[in-house]
Amino acid sequence: MAITAALVKQLRDQTGAGMMDAKKALTENDGDIEAATDWLRTKGLAKAAKKSGRTAAEGLVAVAAADGVGVAVEVNSETDFVARNGEFQEMVGAIAKTALGVSDIEALKAADMGGKSVADTVTDKVATIGENMSVRRMSRVEGDVVASYIHNAVVDGMGKIGVLVALTGSDKAAAEAIGKQVAMHIAATNPASLDVSDLDPALVEREKNVLTEQARESGKPDAVIEKMIVGRMNKFYQEVCLLKQTFVINPDLTVEKAVAEAGADLKVVAYARVEVGEGIEKEEEDFAAEVAKTMGG
């Protein structure tokens, strides 16, 4: 029987399977819709696809570092129960190690992990664990030393917030020590950029416009207003730029000065902060409903 586009669409609509999976199912079953549906279910593909519409805003961030490269990977699940599942955690840890060898999220999804792509591995876990999951994003930094920190760790190397700090400098032990402290600082303060030059120009312009309007309401002369804006923008930079922030571990120093005191040639060159579910609009669901879903109710 000819496998038409209309037949593929019908199967996709019924099962939620991907186009190529639907086409293969029909080919394997001579165009029989019911048999193809059962084939997809047997392979776990229909089950995984049906769950793909659910919001996956929980999960874990895992960090890994080796040879001056650090990665932080966010893998989402629907509930925090799954984030505490040992099978899920093992998969997330393996994905983070795989990420050390790639440059971006698409390459990570396609990367081989034990004879199967990362994307296919996650699809298989969706079918066996029974929740929608996704490898949402990864961050990568490089330096002479990469320090890492996990906030709210559930197991070693993974938790709800993962931070990486890349440093250059000759004293690697000192870089590791101050890097860990800076990573903890970043977890707490969530800076917008490394320094002023890295700030999003749109963010700077928006802040400047707000401060200008506020200053004009004071009724002071333009020359005074200009000085007010300069002072207020400098304060803004101190609040949102990592190197200019007051170091939470020693408030007498900025982060930049704390790093300099740790080693004469030490310098933070990059950082990444990844928090589970950041930017995802999660559907509100009461705790009882979440438990019922987890228990299959």
Side-chain angles (χ1 to χ4, degrees):
M1 181 178 176
I3 309 303
T4 64
L7 204 58
V8 173
K9 182 179 185 302
Q10 182 183 345
L11 183 59
R12 289 187 68 195
D13 290 343
Q14 287 181 9
T15 64
M19 183 178 70
M20 296 308 295
D21 290 328
K23 185 176 180 181
K24 184 175 181 180
L26 287 164
T27 302
E28 292 286 331
N29 294 279
D30 298 321
D32 186 319
I33 285 282
E34 290 186 5
T37 300
D38 290 343
W39 187 90
L40 286 168
R41 291 182 62 193
T42 300
K43 300 295 184 184
L45 297 170
K47 184 177 181 181
K50 285 179 180 177
K51 294 179 181 296
S52 66
R54 296 184 188 169
T55 302
E58 298 294 341
L60 291 170
V61 173
V63 297
D67 302 322
V69 174
V71 293
V73 178
E74 179 185 4
V75 182
N76 295 128
S77 60
E78 291 178 53
T79 65
D80 191 50
F81 290 103
V82 167
R84 297 179 183 278
N85 178 303
E87 190 178 344
F88 179 76
Q89 292 169 358
E90 184 179 355
M91 178 187 74
V92 174
I95 291 173
K97 288 178 182 176
T98 302
L100 285 169
V102 300
S103 58
D104 57 45
I105 188 66
E106 293 307 317
L108 175 59
K109 290 177 181 179
D112 177 79
M113 192 171 79
K116 185 181 296 186
S117 73
V118 167
D120 286 344
T121 299
V122 173
T123 297
D124 287 350
K125 278 292 183 286
V126 171
T128 57
I129 291 179
E131 277 197 13
N132 184 29
M133 301 172 195
S134 65
V135 182
R136 184 181 176 218
R137 54 181 171 156
M138 68 167 277
S139 294
R140 177 186 172 99
V141 300
E142 296 184 34
D144 293 332
V145 168
V146 175
S148 64
Y149 170 68
I150 289 286
H151 186 66
N152 288 342
V154 295
V155 292
D156 188 41
M158 62 186 81
K160 294 301 182 183
I161 300 175
V163 181
L164 303 167
V165 178
L167 304 97
T168 56
S170 55
D171 190 337
K172 292 194 175 183
E176 187 71 44
I178 190 65
K180 180 68 175 288
Q181 291 184 339
V182 172
M184 294 171 71
H185 168 99
I186 292 168
T189 64
N190 194 12
S193 72
L194 179 65
D195 208 349
V196 177
S197 60
D198 303 308
L199 267 176
D200 180 354
L203 176 65
V204 173
E205 189 62 27
R206 187 163 62 248
E207 186 67 18
K208 190 175 291 185
N209 288 338
V210 170
L211 292 177
T212 300
E213 290 304 314
Q214 289 176 345
R216 282 176 178 160
E217 288 181 3
S218 69
K220 291 183 170 57
D222 288 347
V224 175
I225 287 174
E226 279 187 32
K227 291 180 181 178
M228 288 172 63
I229 293 169
V230 169
R232 291 179 181 181
M233 285 302 295
N234 283 334
K235 185 178 180 183
F236 170 69
Y237 296 143
Q238 290 165 11
E239 291 172 352
V240 302
C241 299
L242 172 62
L243 296 180
K244 294 189 177 300
Q245 287 181 331
T246 298
F247 193 30
V248 294
I249 295 171
N250 183 354
D252 293 332
L253 301 173
T254 63
V255 171
E256 188 170 31
K257 287 181 179 177
V259 172
E261 287 193 3
D265 65 343
L266 291 185
K267 184 178 179 183
V268 176
V269 293
Y271 78 92
R273 181 186 186 277
V274 180
E275 183 172 353
V276 169
E278 197 171 34
I280 298 176
E281 287 190 18
K282 186 180 178 183
E283 296 175 8
E284 292 298 324
E285 184 171 338
D286 62 37
F287 183 71
E290 187 172 347
V291 171
K293 180 195 292 184
T294 305
M295 298 302 293

